[in-house]
């Protein structure tokens, strides 16, 4: 099944720190910017929702036509650096497989925490690890 | 929150859901009113809105209430029909286009700040034309059959007094044939209130006829139903109205002045009165009455439990009849329509309770009938009624939602209604501050038509701004979507407007794709509408798009250059992102008193040069008294800290350009932006004219402006280059000032693909001024580093070393020439040179060229260089002769000797100090710095081992181990020499026997043996320095021909190199006198690979210094006695006299004690036995030296070894202990005697020598055992 999915990790001040087109559908020319636009717009909704729920997994928060945005809210505190990062893992997808998405988020979250634990990674900076990238793509193939 | 009635929706409803008056008039009436530039309806329109009509109304209930606000809508009968969809569409498009043209002028300005948008009052956020558009959109749906509020309530019949037979005209007008079809086919009630109006044109008709007609009318139609309107009272037709009531209705502003020009104030008052009367006296009472009538009728038939059941049953029965979808299902006379009319009338009369109850009643009916359109319409009205009566919000929303979804279910036909419903719904939500929901409603009514969608999306986006807190991301997104739609229907102005607003959201975003998309498209569109400069400004932002695919980058660039070309001018862009300038790479290279021979030398760290120059530049203390203080006196403090450069000499700036794209771009005419101002102090002193004279090749920038009579005060270099995809290039730019003053390097300027000019200013950047002096460095601010004090032209020495090989073998000796040149006319003097590695390079003594070819000049017989140069190893400053002075184009060629001392990569630094003659400048001296790198390959490696000869006192055996470490090449060893006059050297065996091939192959190792002899004599100093005949110090090893001369090692290059080698290798104790220095001279046999070393080495010299003799003793001795003695033991015991000759080889006085031991040799070995005493059998453990000695002895003496020590004992019969003082380097003979009792072989080693040497302060002492010395005593016959 060809599906569309775009995964983005948004750090503080709404700066994207990781982007990946993980869908298997053939790429449209303007897909990248459309997906960015949708995810970017969804930040507003996430911001609203963040204060109303204590759940980390926000399910689908926004939709545009048949594309759905799911978000995991990461409010983790890096105690060793005494920095709190307000990070959001956002997935734009067109699948109904909520369980898959949830497990995808769980595993990516773990990966993200591993990245955070890296003393050479400055929280809030772009994630450039190729290992992370391959892992995320593998997870996307597995769950989405 | 505003009251529902006063909200925008309330006002809209008041306007839209109001009684319709059908106007029927004759052409003459129209003509009359067209004199004012207005049609009849248009003339009346401003007077149909009553803000306070104050009419008492009583509808169903008995309660009386007063209407305040009221509106009438006037339509020509011909307009009372469902508007053509196409026409309506065109009209909407027109509205949009007009609006677009209106705010076209704003587009040029910069996008608004997001904070500005948020701080705007609510009403100003959305453009005003939206309201107008929405109204037009709703109007396209008027007179639909399923609604009753558009049904005409009354009919106004107008006839002009000029008409023929006005009464007949009135009758004709209401001829059913000419009535709108909706009235005729039963959708609307044709029996409506009729009102007759006679228009009297004061300009053309007589009052008599008018009054006659009027009375006739009144007779025919009744008194109340007839009115007279006198108009056009102004004769001149130039009445100006202060507040023109029609201006807001007629959109075309051009005719505004003419509107109502023949209507006097009295006329207007008359029209107003007429309308007021018409409304309050006729329409409202008529409606009131109708409502009451209908209410009664419906109460009788439908209200109450009984009627409800009846109705239900009746409807059930009707189910069987298939719905005829075509044509109106319900005529005006059907019960359903009646109820609907009741509801609508009640709504119009502001009796919302009644309206709601009747809508509720009818909606169930429609639902049961599956008349969905009607149902939706009723639901819609219910929602509005709920809203305007400020009742349950939930109900209102539910109704609207219901209506909307029902319309949507109808498919395409219902979409327009859905749109109107959506608009109302959104307005309703907006009025309740539910902007987010409103936005989603707008989003839902987008539909497929792009223009419509664009407007709706834009409205949605404004809703997002109005939410609290503002949802700016959504705002931006919807604006972009809307912009795309606008673009699709060629509404470029609107597209640009929306994108412009979106930019304010996305300006600071790091979402790269978004940013690129927005800027690129708005840039394109600006270009299409012809605003090329704005287009370029926007397009610039997408140029740094390295993360995009190559195709995208190409599109970006192509479009960008197209637009730039269209602008026709060369734009100058500050901070152009293509190519990117790496500011951290900025490096300034300039020369003040420090000048550089080459690029490489400029890049060497300053500290290296400083440590090198410490000796030759005037020392700090004296320096302060001459140039530093001088400088501080001459220069104001401000400039003491700035960099100094010399007029006529270029300042170089290295800058790295990086292409972020995958496409190669050409960058042309890159040059620095500079500014040369006259020194302000000079100005004060010399002339008061401020002359800002600076000039660039293209003086288009402000900085490079100011051509003063075509004389350029500095020249700039221009560089062109092409950057491949992702490539980085370091570019060198230079500026050469020609005048004194202050030079400031402000920035860099380049042309991209010949069409756009990029400018980068270096203002607030950290610059590492490469050559800034260490102690000043911290004080320099970045801008100071780019500021130079230009001083007067000075001579500058240029220097180079010819034919310096980059790669050579260790030991390679070369003759090089240092060429110095001074191009300026003023002479320089007092040249000094210092070389970082005196071990490698040694300057020659004379300027003259060598008379003989190298390497023959090094051979003996060329005595011209034999003068011993006194160089002390610590200070390697070489001062050129005083008479050397350079001037003009004369060049000085000075010989240099290069010898690669050790393998490895060597950086050679030369610094030449010179002083300027007769130049009264702040700079008294300058230094020339040269830097070369050498790669030295390993070649021959030698090691020497020297052991004293046991048999002869002053001779030593030398073993030379030699290894060829070169990779490929073979070497011939030519000559081995000892240094100094002390040691004579001779071969032990001919070389040919060891090395028949004459050359040492790569990797080959060999050993040679030599004998050296100490030729020193004890005695006076003169004697000591008395030299040996030189030939004795050299050994020819392998020669090509026999008469080849030997190399003269006391000659200048070899001797001086040896000196430095000695100091470098002199790690071992220098005090030890017993050291020998060797010089091995070899040559390359033949190079197997000629390219390996570019210049073939002619001669290689290998210096080995401080080879000490492998003996710790300062003494050497030998026993002097015959080896075989015949004695007749029958007569007596044999007494043998021995002579022990001891030589003191040390430089100190030594005292020696000789002890003879009379016991068996087993016990006579005291030192080792003390170690090995615990029951071990004595094994003669000897030290290494002793072993070597004994080996040599064994081989030389050819005697039975010490194993046959079963000889009978002997006794020392002379002195048992003797002490002698031996002068340095002298010998002493001590007579000894032994007594032998029987013939045999005796080992005379049982004596010890205890010595004490006192040389200067340090004294040393030790003990030596005697060597085995075998004496054979035989019985004489």
């Amino acid at each position: 099944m060809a599906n569309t999915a775009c995964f983005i990790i948004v750090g503080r001040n709404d700066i994207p720190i990781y982007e990946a087109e993980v869908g298997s559908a053939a790429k449209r020319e303007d897909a990248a910017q459309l997906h960015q636009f949708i995810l970017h717009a969804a930040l507003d909704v996430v911001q609203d929702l963040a204060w109303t729920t204590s759940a980390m997994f926000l399910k689908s928060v926004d939709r545009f036509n048949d594309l759905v945005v799911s978000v995991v809210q990461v409010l983790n505190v890096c105690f060793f650096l005494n920095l709190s990062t307000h990070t959001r893992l956002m997935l734009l997808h067109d699948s109904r497989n909520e369980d898959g998405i949830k497990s995808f988020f769980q595993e990516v979250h773990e990966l993200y925490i591993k990245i955070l634990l890296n003393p050479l990674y400055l929280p809030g900076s772009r994630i450039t690890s190729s290992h992370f990238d391959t892992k995320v793509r593998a997870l996307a193939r597995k769950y989405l | 929150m505003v009251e529902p009635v006063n909200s925008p929706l309330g006002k809209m409803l008041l306007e839209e859901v109001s009684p319709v008056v059908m106007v029927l008039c004759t052409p003459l009436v129209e003509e009359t009113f067209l004199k004012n530039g207005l049609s009849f309806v248009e003339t009346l329109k401003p007077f149909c809105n009553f803000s306070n009509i104050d009419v008492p109304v009583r509808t169903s209930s008995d309660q009386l209430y007063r209407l305040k606000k009221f509106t009438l809508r006037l339509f020509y009968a011909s307009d009372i029909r469902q508007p053509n969809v196409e026409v309506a569409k065109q009209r909407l498009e027109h509205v949009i286009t007009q609006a677009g043209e209106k705010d076209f002028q704003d587009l040029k300005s910069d996008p608004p700040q997001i904070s500005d948008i948020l701080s705007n009052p609510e009403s100003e956020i959305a453009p005003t034309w939206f309201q107008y558009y929405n109204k037009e959109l709703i109007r396209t749906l008027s007179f639909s059959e399923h609604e009753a509020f558009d049904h005409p309530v009354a009919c106004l019949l107008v006839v002009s007094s000029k008409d023929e037979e006005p009464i007949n005209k009135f009758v004709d007008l209401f001829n059913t044939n000419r009535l709108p079809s909706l009235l005729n086919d039963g959708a609307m009630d044709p029996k409506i209130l009729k009102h007759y109006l006679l228009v009297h044109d004061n300009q053309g008709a007589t009052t008599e006829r008018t009054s006659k007609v009027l009375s006739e009318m009144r007779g025919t139609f009744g008194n109340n139903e007839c009115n007279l309107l006198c108009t056009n009272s102004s004769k001149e037709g130039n009445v100006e109205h202060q507040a023109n009531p029609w201006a807001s209705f007629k959109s075309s502003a051009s005719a505004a002045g003419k509107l109502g020009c023949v209507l006097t104030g009295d006329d207007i008052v008359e029209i107003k009165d007429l309308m007021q009367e018409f409304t309050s006296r006729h329409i409202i009472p008529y409606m009131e009455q109708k409502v009451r009538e209908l209410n009664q009728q419906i109460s009788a038939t439908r209200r109450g439990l009984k009627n409800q059941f009846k109705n239900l049953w009746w409807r059930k029965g009707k189910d069987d009849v298939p719905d005829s979808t075509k044509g109106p299902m319900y005529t005006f006379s059907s019960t359903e329509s009646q109820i609907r009319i009741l509801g609508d009338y009640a709504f119009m009369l502001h009796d919302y309770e009644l309206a709601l109850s009747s809508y509720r009643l009818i909606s169930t009916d429609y639902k049961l009938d599956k008349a969905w359109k009607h149902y939706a319409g009723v639901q819609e009205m219910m929602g509005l009624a709920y809203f305007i009566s400020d009742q349950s919000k939930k109900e209102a929303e539910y109704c609207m939602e219901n209506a909307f979804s029902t319309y949507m279910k109808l498919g395409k036909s219902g979409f327009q209604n859905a749109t109107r419903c959506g608009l109302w719904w959104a307005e309703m939500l907006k009025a309740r501050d539910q902007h987010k929901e409103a936005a989603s409603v707008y989003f839902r009514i987008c539909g497929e038509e792009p223009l419509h969608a664009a407007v709706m999306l834009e409205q949605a986006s404004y809703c997002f701004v109005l939410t609290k807190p503002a949802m700016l991301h959504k705002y931006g997104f919807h604006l972009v979507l809307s912009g795309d739609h606008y673009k699709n229907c060629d509404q470029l102005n609107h597209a640009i407007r929306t994108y412009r607003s979106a930019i304010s959201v996305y300006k600071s975003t790091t979402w790269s794709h978004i940013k690129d998309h927005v800027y690129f498209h708005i840039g394109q569109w600006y270009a299409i509408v012809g605003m090329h400069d704005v287009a370029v400004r926007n397009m610039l932002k997408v140029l740094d798009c390295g993360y995009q695919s190559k195709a995208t980058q190409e599109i970006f660039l192509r479009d960008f250059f197209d637009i730039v070309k269209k602008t026709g001018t060369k734009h100058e862009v500050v901070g152009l992102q293509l190519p990117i300038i790496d500011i951290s790479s900025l490096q300034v290279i300039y020369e003040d008193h420090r000048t550089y021979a080459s690029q490489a030398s400029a890049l060497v760290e300053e500290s290296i040069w400083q440590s090198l120059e410490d000796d030759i530049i005037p020392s700090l203390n004296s320096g302060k008294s001459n140039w530093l203080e001088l400088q501080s006196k001459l220069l104001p403090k401000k400039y003491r800290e700035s960099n100094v450069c010399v007029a006529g000499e270029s300042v170089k700036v290295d800058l790295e350009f990086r292409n972020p794209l995958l496409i190669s771009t050409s960058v042309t005419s890159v040059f620095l932006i500079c500014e040369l101002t006259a020194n302000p102090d000079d100005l004060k002193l010399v002339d008061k004219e401020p002359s800002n004279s600076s000039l660039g090749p293209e003086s288009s920038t402000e900085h490079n402006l100011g051509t003063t009579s075509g004389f350029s005060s500095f020249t700039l270099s221009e560089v062109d280059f092409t950057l491949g995809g992702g490539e980085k290039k370091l570019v060198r730019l230079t500026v050469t000032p020609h005048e004194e003053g202050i030079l400031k390097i402000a920035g860099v300027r380049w042309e991209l693909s010949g069409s756009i000019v990029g400018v980068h200013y270096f203002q607030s950047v950290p610059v590492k001024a490469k050559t800034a002096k260490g102690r000043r460095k911290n004080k320099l601010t970045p801008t100071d580093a780019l500021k130079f004090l230009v001083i007067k032209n000075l001579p500058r020495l240029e220097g180079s070393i010819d034919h310096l090989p980059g790669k050579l073998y260790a030991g390679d000796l070369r003759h090089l020439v240092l060429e110095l040149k001074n191009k300026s006319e003023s002479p320089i003097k007092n040249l000094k040179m210092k070389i970082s590695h005196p071990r490698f390079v040694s300057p020659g003594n004379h300027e003259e060229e060598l008379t003989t070819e190298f390497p023959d000049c090094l051979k003996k017989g060329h005595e011209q260089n034999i003068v011993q140069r006194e160089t002390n190893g610590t200070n390697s400053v070489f001062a050129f002769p005083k008479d050397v002075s350079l001037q003009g184009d004369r060049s000085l060629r000075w010989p240099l000797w290069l010898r690669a001392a050790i393998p490895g990569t060597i950086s050679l630094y030369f610094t030449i100090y010179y002083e300027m003659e007769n130049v009264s400048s702040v700079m008294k001296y300058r230094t020339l710095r040269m830097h070369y790198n050498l790669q030295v390959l390993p070649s021959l490696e030698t090691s020497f081992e020297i052991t004293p000869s046991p048999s002869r006192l002053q001779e030593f055996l030398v073993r030379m181990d030699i290894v060829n470490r070169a990779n490929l090449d073979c070497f011939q060893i030519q000559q081995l020499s000892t240094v100094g006059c002390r040691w004579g050297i001779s071969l032990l065996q001919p070389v040919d026997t060891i090395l028949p091939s004459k050359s040492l192959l790569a990797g080959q190792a060999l050993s040679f043996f030599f004998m050296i002899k100490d030729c020193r004599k004890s005695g006076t100093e003169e004697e000591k320095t008395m030299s040996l005949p030189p030939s004795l110090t050299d050994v020819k090893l392998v020669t090509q021909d026999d008469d080849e001369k030997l190399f003269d090692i006391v000659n200048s290059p070899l001797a001086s190199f040896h000196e430095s080698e000695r100091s470098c290798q002199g790690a071992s104790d220098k005090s030890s006198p017993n050291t020998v220095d060797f010089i091995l001279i070899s040559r390359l046999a033949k190079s197997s690979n000629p390219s390996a070393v570019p210049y073939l080495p002619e001669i290689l010299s290998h210096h080995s210094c401080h080879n000490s003799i492998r003996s710790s003793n300062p003494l050497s001795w030998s026993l002097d006695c015959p080896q075989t003695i015949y004695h007749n033991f029958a007569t007596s015991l044999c007494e043998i006299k021995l002579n022990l000759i001891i030589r003191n080889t040390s430089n100190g006085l030594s005292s020696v004690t000789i002890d003879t031991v009379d016991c068996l040799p087993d016990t006579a070995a005291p030192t080792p036995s003390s170690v090995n005493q615990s029951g071990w059998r004595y094994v003669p453990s000897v030290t290494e030296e002793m072993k070597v000695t004994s080996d040599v002895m064994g081989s030389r003496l050819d005697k039975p070894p010490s194993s046959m020590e079963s000889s009978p004992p002997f006794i020392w019969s002379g002195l048992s202990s003797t002490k002698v003082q031996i002068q340095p380097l002298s010998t002493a003979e001590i007579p000894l005697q032994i007594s032998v009792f029987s013939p045999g072989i005796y080992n005379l080693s049982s004596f010890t020598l205890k010595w004490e040497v006192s040389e200067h302060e340090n004294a040393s002492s030790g003990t030596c055992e005697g060597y085995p010395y075998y004496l054979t005593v035989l019985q004489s016959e």
Side-chain angles (χ1 to χ4, degrees), chain A residues 7-131:
Chain A
F7 177 66
I8 284 193
I9 302 181
V10 183
R12 266 185 167 187
N13 302 327
D14 300 341
I15 295 165
I17 58 176
Y18 174 78
E19 294 163 58
E21 287 284 340
V22 291
S24 56
K27 264 190 192 152
R28 270 169 61 206
E29 196 188 331
D30 58 341
Q33 67 231 29
L34 179 67
H35 293 170
Q36 275 207 352
F37 269 122
I38 296 169
L39 286 167
H40 189 255
L43 283 174
D44 274 333
V45 188
V46 177
Q47 208 167 346
D48 279 1
L49 273 178
W51 301 107
T52 58
T53 174
S54 62
M56 250 178 52
F57 182 46
L58 299 184
K59 294 185 181 158
S60 52
V61 291
D62 197 10
R63 51 176 61 243
F64 180 77
N65 296 345
D66 56 343
L67 293 169
V68 187
V69 182
S70 292
V71 170
V72 158
Q73 187 75 8
V74 184
L75 289 159
N76 52 353
V77 177
C78 305
F79 47 88
F80 55 93
L81 288 170
N82 198 17
L83 282 171
S84 71
T85 59
H86 178 207
T87 312
R88 283 139 293 173
L89 317 183
M90 303 180 78
L91 181 74
L92 179 74
H93 58 92
D94 55 2
S95 75
R96 297 269 170 271
N97 178 8
E98 195 147 285
D99 286 341
I101 288 163
K102 198 164 181 176
S103 357
F104 172 76
F105 272 137
Q106 259 167 5
E107 302 229 359
V108 172
H109 186 204
E110 254 171 55
L111 284 176
Y112 173 66
I113 285 174
K114 277 179 194 161
I115 288 277
L116 275 185
L117 288 172
N118 183 348
L120 299 179
Y121 173 75
L122 187 73
S125 63
R126 219 161 219 295
I127 297 174
T128 49
S129 157
S130 58
H131 177 251

Side-chain angles (χ1 to χ4, degrees), chain B residues 363-413:
Chain B
S363 82
T364 47
D365 288 355
Y366 282 143
K367 202 173 178 182
L368 285 172
D369 286 352
K370 296 197 169 62
W372 295 118
K373 197 171 178 180
H374 291 80
Y375 171 69
V378 170
Q379 285 287 326
E380 195 180 348
M381 288 315 287
M382 268 169 80
L384 293 176
Y386 274 127
F387 167 77
I388 204 133
S389 58
D390 210 3
Q391 290 191 35
S392 155
K393 273 185 206 176
K394 231 186 210 165
E395 281 292 310
E397 253 170 75
Y398 173 77
C399 290
M400 291 313 275
E401 166 89 65
N402 207 354
F404 184 78
S405 50
T406 314
Y407 276 135
M408 286 304 255
K409 258 190 265 172
L410 288 176
K412 221 177 165 197
S413 60

Side-chain angles (χ1 to χ4, degrees), chain B residues 1123 1125 1129 1207-1208 1236 1238-1243 1271-1275:
Chain B
Q1123 294 206 329
I1125 288 173
F1129 283 97
S1207 56
V1236 178
S1238 58
I1241 300 166
Y1242 301 95
N1243 185 358
L1271 176 70
T1272 312
V1273 183
L1274 297 170
Q1275 179 72 39

Side-chain angles (χ1 to χ4, degrees), chain B residues 673-922:
Chain B
I673 302 169
C674 295
E675 201 175 352
L676 185 68
T677 49
N679 198 329
D681 294 299
D682 291 354
L683 281 179
K684 254 181 254 164
L685 297 170
V686 185
D687 55 339
K688 296 285 182 192
E689 272 177 61
S691 62
N692 185 344
S693 54
S694 48
L695 181 83
E698 280 178 286
S699 29
S700 52
T701 66
E702 50 170 322
H703 278 283
N704 291 356
L705 264 175
T707 321
T708 48
S709 66
F711 176 76
S712 62
S713 55
F714 57 80
T715 47
L716 299 165
S717 73
E718 249 186 75
V719 186
D720 297 349
F721 57 92
T722 305
L723 279 173
E727 201 183 344
K728 278 185 193 172
K729 239 176 213 172
L730 196 69
V731 176
R732 161 152 301 185
L733 303 164
T734 61
V735 53
T736 312
H738 297 308
E739 283 180 346
E740 290 172 72
I742 289 165
L743 177 75
K744 221 164 117 185
I745 300 177
V748 65
R749 196 183 132 92
W750 67 93
E751 260 177 49
L752 184 64
S753 300
S755 51
I756 191 149
V757 177
V759 175
H760 187 97
Y761 290 111
F762 297 142
Q763 288 131 356
S764 54
V765 292
V767 181
K768 42 176 177 180
K770 177 70 199 165
T771 49
K773 273 213 163 185
R775 61 175 175 277
R776 281 200 226 149
K777 216 170 199 166
N778 3 358
K779 290 182 199 163
L780 282 178
T781 60
T783 36
D784 281 349
L786 290 169
K787 211 154 126 191
F788 298 92
L789 181 72
V790 183
I791 60 168
K792 217 167 90 187
N793 207 338
L794 282 180
R796 182 177 180 275
L797 196 63
E798 284 167 24
S800 65
I801 295 173
D802 299 339
H803 310 304
L804 185 74
K807 222 184 206 182
L808 30 73
Y809 278 114
D812 200 347
L813 189 68
R814 297 290 176 97
H815 177 246
L816 303 170
V817 175
L818 167 73
E819 189 166 355
L820 297 174
K821 211 177 243 178
N822 175 16
K823 282 201 176 148
S824 98
E825 282 306 315
S826 46
I828 55 168
K829 55 169 188 183
N830 220 349
L831 276 79
K832 283 191 253 177
M833 175 165 71
K834 191 170 173 186
I835 299 155
S836 62
H837 291 76
R839 200 176 168 185
F840 279 75
V841 182
S842 136
N845 290 339
H846 297 273
E847 192 189 336
E848 291 81 38
E849 290 288 322
L850 293 166
T851 47
T852 34
E853 274 304 300
F854 175 81
D856 290 339
C857 58
L858 296 179
K859 292 187 174 165
K860 292 195 181 177
H862 299 280
E863 300 295 308
Q864 80 271 36
N865 282 346
I866 201 118
V867 190
Q868 272 288 358
R869 211 163 51 82
E870 276 308 315
T871 49
N872 47 346
T874 52
N875 187 8
S876 55
V877 175
F878 173 75
F880 288 89
K882 291 279 177 202
D883 55 343
V884 169
S885 158
L886 273 172
Q887 190 175 1
D889 254 345
R890 211 175 81 83
S891 69
L892 172 71
R893 292 174 65 80
W894 198 265
L896 281 184
W897 293 101
L898 169 77
R899 184 183 161 269
I902 44 166
T905 305
I906 311 292
S907 290
L908 288 179
Y909 303 104
F910 297 82
T911 174
I912 296 170
Y913 165 90
Y914 54 98
E915 286 173 11
M916 272 66 81
E917 244 171 58
N918 55 49
V919 172
S920 58
S921 165
V922 285

